[in-house]
Amino acid sequence: MLKALLWDVDGTIAETERDGHRVAFNLAFAELGLDWGWDERRYGELLQVTGGRERLLADMRTRADAPASTAERETLALRLHAAKNRHYAALVTQGRIDARPGVLGLMREAAAAGLRQAIVTTTSRSNVDALMPRLLGEDWRTLFEVVLCGEDVARKKPDPEVYDRALARLRLAPGQALAIEDSSPGGQAAQAAAVPVMLRPSVYFPARELPEGWRGWFCGPQQALSVPVLREHHAACTALAQRGV
Ligand code: XBP
Ligand code: MG
């Protein structure tokens, strides 16, 4: 039976990648005097790498004008990442990022229905602390029993660690929760932790790229969301898992 919703953040709660992180990375490049820029297409490719610092390092490996040594790259990535997160918080504060349709209503409906909720993301905690009060108000934490972020894990998604930790904190079995994700790495992380998943693709996630061995619920952008709909799909996912499908 469904007891908890485990919410991803970037791409799931809001289109933070296109309108927030990507823009903020470009502002960070300019701030540090770098003639670098990520357009929407390039950023979409780079989203296969989770973690902003890791994404910067992956991009540097493809550039002739990146620092030559590993140590210099690491230092530059750290500086750029800190600047990016500062710019991201400023963009959020300016009201540049809205919640995706249906998300905030579903969170409130779930709380009223007695479902437990957690934030299960591998983005930086500062990004969550900037976004959530802006979307839900200063008392946003009252909706979420557990908030796990990138700093809480050794391995980011698609590794299941952040889901394993969330289940341990909530003292729930994987089948008692539903993960809400937008991307292939996020869907893989939940599936690897044996948590049923609702995948609601964000703008960067083409539907054809379902995680390998996908068994979850693929939710189209127009589908209306409610707690009864979630319960129904969770039960269907659980029944399939029990049959070993
Ligand atoms: C999304 C990510 C993050 C963000 C940027 O995580 O991969 O890396 O793109 O955040 P999720 P940081 O969908 O699990 O929220 O720069 O803080 O890594
Ligand atoms: Mg995501």
Side-chain angles (χ1 to χ4, degrees):
M1 187 177 149
L2 180 61
K3 297 239 166 93
L5 301 183
L6 309 183
W7 290 92
D8 171 50
V9 173
D10 290 306
T12 297
I13 294 179
E15 289 289 1
T16 50
E17 298 291 7
R18 180 192 59 193
D19 305 333
H21 293 295
R22 187 187 67 86
V23 178
F25 275 115
N26 286 334
L27 290 168
F29 295 144
E31 181 184 317
L32 271 71
L34 290 167
D35 180 24
W36 297 357
W38 288 345
D39 61 18
E40 288 192 24
R41 190 197 56 79
R42 176 66 181 145
Y43 194 65
E45 292 167 1
L46 286 167
L47 278 178
Q48 289 304 320
V49 182
T50 53
R53 191 183 60 83
E54 294 84 348
R55 194 167 298 142
L56 285 161
L57 288 168
D59 187 54
M60 283 188 217
R61 285 194 287 275
T62 70
R63 292 185 167 277
D65 57 350
S69 77
T70 307
E72 282 173 312
R73 287 183 191 189
E74 291 278 356
T75 304
L76 180 58
L78 277 178
R79 287 182 64 209
L80 283 167
H81 193 235
K84 185 278 285 181
N85 280 353
R86 190 163 26 78
H87 286 294
Y88 175 84
L91 291 169
V92 169
T93 307
Q94 289 160 21
R96 298 268 290 268
I97 295 169
D98 291 325
R100 287 185 65 186
V103 163
L104 302 183
L106 183 58
M107 286 173 175
R108 294 193 179 102
E109 186 191 336
L115 284 176
R116 301 164 73 192
Q117 297 187 82
I119 296 289
V120 183
T121 174
T122 47
T123 198
S124 308
R125 187 167 288 272
S126 68
N127 299 333
V128 175
D129 287 340
L131 182 70
M132 297 308 284
R134 181 79 206 177
L135 298 182
L136 283 164
E138 289 304 325
D139 63 347
W140 70 275
R141 274 299 314 246
T142 57
L143 280 179
F144 302 96
E145 238 177 282
V146 171
V147 177
L148 289 179
C149 302
E151 291 86 343
D152 301 315
V153 292
R155 295 168 305 279
K156 294 184 177 168
K157 297 175 187 176
D159 192 282
E161 181 182 352
V162 71
Y163 278 102
D164 292 339
R165 286 185 184 276
L167 292 169
R169 289 273 299 275
L170 292 164
R171 295 179 187 274
L172 290 176
Q176 294 175 303
L178 179 70
I180 306 180
E181 283 281 358
D182 69 296
S183 72
S184 188
Q188 283 172 49
Q191 271 198 179
V195 177
V197 195
M198 173 179 103
L199 196 74
R200 198 180 187 217
S202 53
V203 288
Y204 276 120
F205 177 64
R208 64 180 181 278
E209 282 178 28
L210 285 173
E212 207 168 314
W214 174 250
R215 298 180 305 275
W217 164 26
F218 188 78
C219 172
Q222 306 307 330
Q223 183 161 356
L225 294 175
S226 68
V227 168
V229 169
L230 259 54
R231 285 196 192 282
E232 191 185 314
H233 282 277
H234 180 266
C237 289
T238 310
L240 282 179
Q242 277 165 358
R243 297 203 331 253
V245 181

